[in-house]
Amino acid sequence: MRGRESPAEDALILFRSRICNPNFVFTPFSDSPDSNYSKLKFIISSSVTEACNNSILLLGPRGSGKTAVLELVIRDLLAEHADMISVIRLNGLLHSDDNCAVKEIARQLCVEHQLLFSKMASFDDNSQFMTAMLRECGLAHKTIIFVLDEFDFFTQARLPLSLMCVHTQKKAHVDWFLTFKFSDIGITSSLCSLQGKQRLLYSLLDAMQSVMSQAVVIGVSCRLDADQLLEKRVRSRFSHRKLLFLPPSKEDLQRLLEHILSLPVDTSLPNDYAVEFNTKLHHILADERFKEIINTLLNSDSTVKHLLRFLFYAVCHMDLESGFLSLDNFRTAMSSIQRQPKMEYLQDCSILELYILVCMKRLEVKEQNSYNFNSVMKEYKGIHDAYQTSDYYARSVCLRAFEHLVQRELICFMDNRGNNQSIEFRAVKLLISSHELYQGLKSYRSCPVSSFKSSV
Amino acid sequence: MPSIGAVRSESSGEIRSGSGSTPQKRRSISGGPISPPSPVKWKSPRRSVNGSPKTPSKEIEKDSDAKATRLHKSPMKKLSESFLDKSKWNPGDSKQMSAAKEALHVSTVPSTVVCREDEQNRIMDFCKACIEHEKAGSLYACGCPGTGKSLSMEKVRRALVDWAGQAGFQPPDLLSINCTSLTNTSEIFSKILEKQQPRKKTKSSTSPLQHLRNIYSKKQQSSGMKMMLIIADELDYLITRDRTVLHDLFMLTTLPFSSCILIGVSNAIDLADRFLPKLQSLNCKPMVVTFRAYSKDQILKILQQRLMALPSPVFQPQALELCARKVAAASGDMRKALSVCRSALEILEAELRESINSLSLSSEKGAFDQQTLPALDSLTNQEINIVRVDHMATALSKTFRSPIVDTIQSLPQHQQIILCSAVKLFRGGKKDTTVGELNKSYVDICKSVLVPPIGILELSSMCRVLSDQGLLKLGQAREDKLKRVTLKVDEADIAFALQGIRFFRNCLQ
C-alpha cells in the first residue's frame, strides 16, 4: 500500500477527472439564461409538461459540446420528471436504413418497458408496435424523446451493407461489389425506389402531428444545412427550431478555465496549498503571454474539445515537485499539439540529405517537372561550384543518402511502374513543401550557410 | 357539419383524463397497474381527444354532437370568471399560456376548415355524384406541403358518411392509407382487397391485383352496391421505375363494375400528366383539385379563427399580419405560420420571466429599478402582456435565417482564411480546385497579412472540418493534395459575414 499521496498528485487526479467529465465541464453554462443549455432545457421541459410535440435541431462543428449539453439536459430532466420521460437514441451512421432504425426503436422501447423483444419481428410488426407504443405513452402522459445523432445521415440514401448485385451498363457481365456508400451505379432492385426517401423521419414527424402521441425529436448534426437536406414534406412537419453551438466567447472562456483549473478550498486538499495554487493560477490566466498562447490555439480550432485536450496536456506536464502550474506547462502543451512531423524529420537529417532536398527544390523552382537522381547530382555539383562548399561527397554516398530520404518518405517516386529500373533513373518528387523546408533549415542545429542561401 | 375539435369542455376531458383522476383504471402495457406519476392530481393538458388530422376514432363524434352548443367554453371555466378580467390575457398564468400554445399547435384541429371550402365542395360533389350514380371515379388532390390537404380529406370523409346516411344511400366503406407505411408498393392492392372482402381467404396463386380485377369485372350479386372510398396519402411513394403500380391503381376505377372512389393526395402538381399518360388516351384521367398555397389573407383568417377560442386577444393584430405576410411570401405553408406564432409566444414568455427575475433581484437590493418601466410606459397596460410586432419579428428572423452567417463569423481564423482563399480562387470563373491549389492561395494570403501559415496536413484536416459543416465539398482522391474542393456556400454570404474584419474586407475586394 502506498503512502499518502502528495497534494500535488491529488490535484492532478482531480484535474484529469474533471477534464474528462463533460458534465462537469458544461455545468457553468447552465445558469445563464442565454446559454444553449437553458434554451434546450426550456424547450424540452415545456414540451413535457404541456404535453405538446416539438422538434429541434442542434447544429455546430464537431466537438463543440452538442451531445454533452444534450446529455446534461436529459440527465437533469430525468431527475426532475423521472416517470414522464423515456429516451430513445438512434445514430445516423448505424441506423440510417429504415428497417434497422425501426427495429432499434422497437428494441429500446421494449427494454424501457420491460417487454420481450423478438428478433424475428418484421418491419411491419416493428412499425406497428412503434405506433401503438406512441399511442399508449401518449395516453399515459409519458413523453418519448427521440435523439437522432448524425441527423444528416438519416436524410441521405444509403444502400444496406450487403452484397448487391450490380448490372453494369453493358449488361454483359455482372459485377459483385461491397458498397459502403451510395454511388451512381444503376440498381435494378425496386428496393431502391422506397429507400432514401426519409421514411423514418417522415413517420416520426408525422406521428407528432397528432394529439395521440407525445414525443420530442432532437436531431444532432454538424452540417449547417441539415434541414435543407430534408424533403419538403418532411421539412414542413419539422418545427424549424435550431440551436447553434458556437465556440465560447472570451468571458465564457475565462469562466471555463477558472472553473476547471481552480482547486476547491474546502476539501481534503490542504487549505493553504489550494489558496496559493489558485492565486498563482490567476496570475497565469491574466498574463499576456498566456492569452497569446490561447489565441494561437483557438485560431486553428476553436471547439471546446480542442481546448480540453490542450488543458489535459498542460495539466499532465505539471511539475509534481512544486505542485503548481506554470506558463511553461502551457507552452509545452501547445507545442505537443501543434506538431509538425515533417519538420521533426528534417531535424534528424544529415547535412548531405539536406543538400539533396535543397537541390530538388531548386530543380522544382526551375520548373523541371520530372527529375531523377542524376539530375539532382548535376544540381549538387552546380551548387558546389557556385558556393565552394566543403561538403562534396562521392556519388555512392549520395545514393545512400537518397535512399534514406526515400525510406523516410521525405521524397518519393513519381510512379510505381519503374521497379525494374535502377534507383538512379526513376523520377522522384518532394513530399514536403518549400515552406516546411525553409522552416526546417532555419531551425536546424548547425545548418551550413551555403545550403541555406541556396535554398532561398 | 358537426363541430368537433374546438370543443373543450370538462366532460370531453373526462373521457381521456378520467384516467388521471382514477388511477386504478389505468393499466400498463404489461398488465400491471400504473401508479400515478406524482402525488398531485395531474390533469392532462390535452382536452381535445379528437384533435388530429387523421384520428380514426368514431365514437367521439357522437359525444361531441351533443356538446356542439358549448362551442366557446374555454378550459379556464374552472377559474371563476369573477376574479379574472375578461378582456385581459395574463401570460404569467401557465394555464392560459398553455391554452394559447395549444390553440396554435399543428395537431389541434379546428372545427371548420376555413379557406378551403371551395376545394372541399368540389371533392364532396365528386364523391356525391359517384355514390348517387354508383359509378367509380378517381380524383387527384395536389398541393405544396402544409396547404390543408389531409385536413380537408378528413372533413370530407366525415361529411360524406353523414350525407350518405341522411340522403338514404349506403354509406361507403372507408380506407385511408399512407403510402409511406407500405413496405412493398404492391401491398396497396392487398390492403384494398382486405377491405373489400374482409373475411374471404384468397387463393395464393392469384395476386391481389388480379383478384381485384376479377371482382370488378363481374357484376355484384347484391342489388345496392356499396362504394369504397380509398384515400391514398403521399401517392408519389407508389411511383416505381416502370410505373405499373400507380397505373394499375387508377385503372381499377375504369373496370366496368368497379366500386371504388379513389382519391390520391400528393405534392407533385403534374403527377397525373407525367406518370399516367395512358389514362388520358382511355379518357379516364382523374379529376385534379389543386390546393394552392395560402395567401396572406387566408393565413390571417385561419390564425384569427384559431385564436377566437381564447377568451382575450393574445396577439397584436399587426404582429399577426406581419407573420401572415412573411409566411405567404416564403411558402404559404400553414405549419410554418403556426410554428412562428408559437415561437413568438415563447419569446414573450422568456422576456416576461427575465423581467420578473430582474425586478425581483432589484427589489431584493432594496432599490426599485426604474429603468424597466419607462420603456413600457408608452404601451398601454393591456399591450404589455400580449405578443407585439417585435416579438414576431424576432421569431420570424429565427425561423427564416440560416445559421451560415453566424457560423462563418465564429469560425477560427485559419478556417476563415481558407474560405477567403477559396473565394479568391473561384472568382475567375473556375468552379472547383484541388487542395494543393487552395494551399498555395492560402499561403499567399497568409503572407500578405503576416500570419504564419499552417502546414498542408493541418490544412487538409481543416478542409475536412469545413466540409463536415457543409461549407465546402471535398472529393475523394488517393492523395490529400489532389482532392477536389468546391464551395457550397454563396460567395456573397462569406463576404457579408466577414465584412466586419478589415483584412478580409481588403482581401475580398
Side-chain angles (χ1 to χ4, degrees):
Chain A
M1 163 130 166
R2 293 180 54 182
R4 254 193 68 218
E5 290 169 357
S6 71
E9 286 174 8
D10 282 339
L12 183 59
I13 293 176
L14 177 69
F15 287 141
R16 281 197 193 142
S17 58
R18 275 180 180 180
I19 295 178
C20 297
N21 181 7
N23 284 340
F24 182 82
V25 170
F26 285 97
T27 347
F29 297 130
S30 57
D31 40 5
S32 79
D34 241 356
S35 68
N36 282 332
Y37 171 88
S38 325
K39 287 184 197 163
L40 187 60
K41 186 152 181 215
F42 174 66
I43 292 178
I44 303 184
S45 60
S46 64
S47 308
V48 169
T49 47
E50 289 168 19
C52 60
N53 299 325
N54 236 330
S55 47
I56 184 169
L57 256 189
L58 304 180
L59 301 175
R62 289 193 197 278
S64 48
K66 308 182 288 289
T67 314
V69 168
L70 179 64
E71 291 300 322
L72 204 58
V73 168
I74 288 183
R75 189 192 65 164
D76 288 343
L77 286 176
L78 280 173
E80 281 174 39
H81 318 271
D83 283 336
M84 284 167 44
I85 299 181
S86 66
V87 184
I88 307 281
R89 291 189 170 88
L90 293 174
N91 191 313
L93 289 169
L94 300 171
H95 308 127
S96 65
D97 180 29
D98 293 321
N99 282 334
C100 240
V102 169
K103 195 168 177 179
E104 181 64 21
I105 294 178
R107 190 188 67 83
Q108 290 192 22
L109 283 171
C110 286
V111 165
E112 281 271 336
H113 300 271
Q114 282 120 29
L115 300 167
L116 280 177
F117 173 68
S118 151
K119 289 191 197 161
M120 293 295 127
S122 68
F123 174 78
D124 265 341
D125 295 336
N126 282 334
S127 54
Q128 277 170 16
F129 175 68
M130 180 174 94
T131 5
M133 280 299 282
L134 278 173
R135 202 171 28 230
E136 285 293 330
C137 287
L139 286 173
H141 313 306
K142 211 170 175 189
T143 310
I144 303 187
I145 299 182
F146 288 96
V147 175
L148 301 175
D149 255 330
E150 313 286 351
F151 186 75
D152 43 308
F153 285 109
F154 282 108
T155 60
Q156 291 166 9
R158 301 261 293 218
L159 300 177
L161 282 178
S162 57
L163 286 173
M164 296 207 57
C165 179
V166 172
H167 291 275
T168 61
Q169 306 284 48
K170 303 186 183 91
K171 291 216 194 293
H173 51 272
V174 170
D175 292 316
W176 289 85
F177 288 103
L178 245 187
T179 51
F180 283 93
K181 57 178 187 211
F182 62 93
S183 52
D184 46 356
I185 309 174
I187 311 253
T188 53
S189 64
S190 64
L191 196 53
C192 203
S193 61
L194 284 182
Q195 260 184 354
K197 285 214 176 178
Q198 307 176 4
R199 278 206 297 178
L200 174 73
L201 288 176
Y202 179 84
S203 47
L204 273 182
L205 292 173
D206 202 37
M208 287 183 12
Q209 303 279 298
S210 72
V211 195
M212 295 291 212
S213 56
Q214 234 169 281
V216 179
V217 172
I218 305 175
V220 179
S221 173
C222 60
R223 277 191 74 154
L224 298 173
D225 55 347
D227 61 335
Q228 305 297 323
L229 296 170
L230 294 171
E231 273 189 0
K232 57 180 188 214
R233 59 181 135 222
V234 179
R235 199 178 337 149
S236 166
R237 287 167 167 82
F238 190 77
S239 86
H240 297 102
R241 281 170 215 263
K242 293 192 269 258
L243 270 187
L244 204 51
F245 278 77
L246 296 172
S249 61
K250 289 234 171 342
E251 301 83 29
D252 282 341
L253 198 60
Q254 195 70 12
R255 248 194 327 163
L256 188 64
L257 288 171
E258 280 178 13
H259 178 69
I260 295 180
L261 294 176
S262 307
L263 282 178
V265 202
D266 51 354
T267 54
S268 56
L269 295 167
N271 199 9
D272 41 359
Y273 167 67
V275 168
E276 205 187 332
F277 185 93
N278 288 344
T279 341
K280 286 214 166 133
L281 181 72
H282 268 114
H283 283 151
I284 295 180
L285 290 183
D287 195 346
E288 275 303 314
R289 294 170 289 174
F290 177 77
K291 292 199 176 129
E292 216 184 288
I293 295 178
I294 293 281
N295 275 342
T296 328
L297 179 78
L298 295 180
N299 269 344
S300 56
D301 189 348
S302 52
T303 56
V304 178
K305 197 194 264 190
H306 195 66
L307 179 69
L308 289 177
R309 204 180 325 150
F310 167 74
L311 288 178
F312 195 86
Y313 271 120
V315 153
C316 288
H317 284 293
M318 183 167 87
D319 180 21
L320 288 174
E321 291 290 324
S322 67
F324 297 114
L325 277 176
S326 72
L327 200 60
D328 278 333
N329 297 139
F330 292 102
R331 283 216 190 95
T332 332
M334 190 64 190
S335 51
S336 26
I337 283 195
Q338 292 197 331
R339 280 184 61 209
Q340 306 266 28
K342 299 236 163 131
M343 298 228 291
E344 287 171 18
Y345 284 174
L346 281 177
Q347 307 300 317
D348 293 337
C349 283
S350 68
I351 307 256
L352 176 58
E353 285 163 1
L354 284 183
Y355 264 112
I356 293 180
L357 288 173
V358 164
C359 293
M360 289 174 77
K361 185 187 163 264
R362 283 168 66 101
L363 285 174
E364 273 192 5
V365 165
K366 284 186 200 166
E367 311 252 335
Q368 248 186 317
N369 284 337
S370 87
Y371 45 87
N372 58 17
F373 179 70
N374 292 330
S375 17
V376 172
M377 280 287 98
K378 271 196 221 145
E379 186 68 25
Y380 182 46
K381 184 151 193 318
I383 295 185
H384 172 69
D385 291 338
Y387 291 98
Q388 305 296 324
T389 62
S390 57
D391 301 311
Y392 193 64
Y393 296 94
R395 190 184 168 89
S396 49
V397 180
C398 294
L399 190 57
R400 182 62 70 86
F402 193 76
E403 282 169 3
H404 273 170
L405 285 175
V406 171
Q407 279 167 1
R408 305 208 72 192
E409 296 217 349
L410 285 168
I411 62 182
C412 74
F413 297 113
M414 289 278 238
D415 52 36
N416 289 329
R417 278 181 294 144
N419 271 327
N420 297 329
Q421 290 177 319
S422 93
I423 203 174
E424 300 166 346
F425 297 102
R426 291 174 69 183
V428 289
K429 63 175 178 185
L430 268 178
L431 282 180
I432 58 175
S433 67
S434 49
H435 174 75
E436 285 168 334
L437 183 60
Y438 181 72
Q439 294 284 37
L441 287 176
K442 216 163 70 161
S443 52
Y444 195 76
R445 52 187 187 271
S446 55
C447 180
V449 176
S450 56
S451 80
F452 191 65
K453 268 200 270 181
S454 57
S455 76
V456 174
Chain B
M1 274 201 254
S3 54
I4 345 166
V7 180
R8 304 157 191 280
S9 61
E10 277 300 273
S11 15
S12 81
E14 274 169 9
I15 298 168
R16 274 281 288 279
S17 55
S19 51
S21 45
T22 54
Q24 61 268 29
K25 285 207 187 127
R26 268 196 297 165
R27 295 204 163 274
S28 74
I29 295 118
S30 48
I34 304 178
S35 56
S38 65
V40 175
K41 186 157 62 164
W42 190 63
K43 250 340 180 168
S44 159
R46 291 166 176 268
R47 298 298 162 78
S48 57
V49 190
N50 33 13
S52 150
K54 295 177 189 161
T55 37
S57 55
K58 296 194 181 81
E59 63 270 54
I60 314 290
E61 287 178 22
K62 305 195 186 74
D63 293 305
S64 52
D65 273 345
K67 290 159 191 84
T69 48
R70 302 210 264 158
L71 182 57
H72 288 293
K73 272 291 195 255
S74 72
M76 274 72 67
K77 84 178 191 48
K78 264 180 106 173
L79 304 166
S80 66
E81 283 138 40
S82 56
F83 55 82
L84 252 194
D85 190 5
K86 261 201 177 174
S87 58
K88 198 153 122 178
W89 179 67
N90 179 14
D93 185 5
S94 60
K95 278 221 174 92
Q96 292 190 27
M97 180 60 94
S98 52
K101 281 194 196 165
E102 207 177 324
L104 291 170
H105 200 272
V106 182
S107 51
T108 338
V109 172
S111 53
T112 46
V113 181
V114 292
C115 303
R116 288 292 175 220
E117 292 94 353
D118 200 24
E119 287 87 353
Q120 279 179 341
N121 288 338
R122 279 179 72 189
I123 302 179
M124 271 297 279
D125 291 337
F126 168 77
C127 296
K128 281 183 194 169
C130 284
I131 293 184
E132 272 175 11
H133 305 298
E134 289 190 352
K135 238 170 55 95
S138 57
L139 182 132
Y140 174 61
C142 58
C144 290
T147 44
K149 301 184 292 291
S150 307
L151 201 58
S152 306
M153 289 308 152
E154 274 305 305
K155 298 290 179 204
V156 164
R157 225 177 60 156
R158 305 244 172 95
L160 200 64
V161 171
D162 292 333
W163 169 82
Q166 285 170 7
F169 293 105
Q170 257 193 339
D173 280 332
L174 295 165
L175 174 63
S176 185
I177 313 177
N178 191 321
C179 299
T180 54
S181 59
L182 303 170
T183 31
N184 205 354
T185 47
S186 34
E187 230 179 86
I188 190 170
F189 298 119
S190 31
K191 287 214 162 121
I192 300 178
L193 190 60
E194 249 177 68
K195 195 81 188 192
Q196 185 83 29
Q197 294 177 330
R199 276 168 295 274
K200 265 203 200 164
K201 275 230 194 94
T202 61
K203 283 199 297 256
S204 51
S205 52
T206 49
S207 70
L209 174 60
Q210 198 55 42
H211 214 86
L212 280 171
R213 284 205 181 125
N214 293 341
I215 297 176
Y216 289 147
S217 315
K218 295 191 283 236
K219 185 151 172 60
Q220 300 286 336
Q221 277 86 358
S222 53
S223 50
M225 203 156 62
K226 198 164 161 74
M227 306 294 291
M228 184 158 69
L229 178 65
I230 306 173
I231 301 182
D233 230 341
E234 314 291 354
L235 201 62
D236 44 339
Y237 272 77
L238 290 181
I239 297 177
T240 52
R241 204 180 243 206
D242 43 4
R243 304 169 190 170
T244 44
V245 176
L246 205 57
H247 195 253
D248 291 333
L249 185 63
F250 276 90
M251 287 294 280
L252 277 180
T253 57
T254 62
L255 294 171
F257 296 103
S258 168
S259 64
C260 52
I261 309 174
L262 177 65
I263 301 185
V265 180
S266 175
N267 292 129
I269 295 195
D270 53 354
L271 192 108
D273 294 325
R274 254 197 308 156
F275 294 104
L276 305 169
K278 296 190 209 160
L279 289 182
Q280 188 163 21
S281 54
L282 289 166
N283 216 16
C284 49
K285 249 182 77 164
M287 181 169 123
V288 177
V289 175
T290 316
F291 281 72
R292 311 197 77 84
Y294 286 117
S295 70
K296 165 188 160 251
D297 299 316
Q298 287 175 328
I299 296 184
L300 196 53
K301 201 160 147 203
I302 295 175
L303 286 174
Q304 280 165 348
Q305 190 230 10
R306 279 191 175 229
L307 294 171
M308 233 170 28
L310 299 174
S312 55
V314 178
F315 285 82
Q316 229 184 16
Q318 294 92 325
L320 280 182
E321 211 184 302
L322 176 66
C323 170
R325 198 174 313 151
K326 254 305 179 51
V327 174
S331 56
D333 186 346
M334 198 60 218
R335 290 189 185 115
K336 213 157 190 182
L338 292 172
S339 162
V340 167
C341 290
R342 285 180 67 212
S343 179
L345 262 180
E346 282 170 15
I347 294 177
L348 175 71
E349 209 182 328
E351 190 187 275
L352 285 173
R353 241 198 348 223
E354 254 189 75
S355 68
I356 290 177
N357 281 345
S358 63
L359 277 179
S360 64
L361 273 177
S362 51
S363 61
E364 275 173 16
K365 288 183 203 152
F368 194 71
D369 194 6
Q370 297 287 342
Q371 286 175 0
T372 51
L373 293 183
L376 305 172
D377 254 349
S378 52
L379 305 163
T380 66
N381 208 11
Q382 233 181 12
E383 285 186 29
I384 291 177
N385 290 335
I386 64 175
V387 179
R388 295 189 302 273
V389 178
D390 48 333
H391 298 134
M392 191 59 85
T394 323
L396 281 168
S397 72
K398 269 198 332 189
T399 310
F400 284 106
R401 192 176 58 176
S402 85
I404 289 187
V405 171
D406 282 332
T407 316
I408 296 183
Q409 278 175 344
S410 60
L411 281 178
Q413 191 190 42
H414 283 287
Q415 293 182 14
Q416 284 174 335
I417 301 182
I418 293 179
L419 282 180
C420 259
S421 45
V423 165
K424 272 192 126 166
L425 268 180
F426 294 141
R427 268 221 180 127
K430 272 207 308 187
K431 280 304 155 205
D432 69 348
T433 179
T434 61
V435 172
E437 294 284 315
L438 193 65
N439 189 27
K440 285 198 190 125
S441 172
Y442 165 80
V443 166
D444 286 334
I445 295 188
C446 281
K447 272 197 206 147
S448 68
V449 283
L450 303 173
V451 165
I454 52 177
I456 185 146
L457 274 180
E458 273 208 57
L459 184 98
S460 70
S461 72
M462 278 193 201
C463 284
R464 200 150 25 97
V465 167
L466 286 173
S467 88
D468 268 347
Q469 292 192 43
L471 296 167
L472 288 180
K473 189 163 131 148
L474 213 53
Q476 296 285 351
R478 267 177 320 164
E479 265 195 55
D480 261 355
K481 265 202 223 171
L482 298 175
K483 288 191 183 165
R484 303 215 71 85
V485 175
T486 33
L487 256 188
K488 276 181 95 164
V489 183
D490 210 17
E491 213 185 284
D493 281 338
I494 300 181
F496 178 70
L498 296 176
Q499 67 184 3
I501 307 177
R502 199 167 41 135
F503 91 58
F504 287 121
R505 219 179 24 230
N506 297 337
C507 205
L508 290 172
Q509 218 75 123

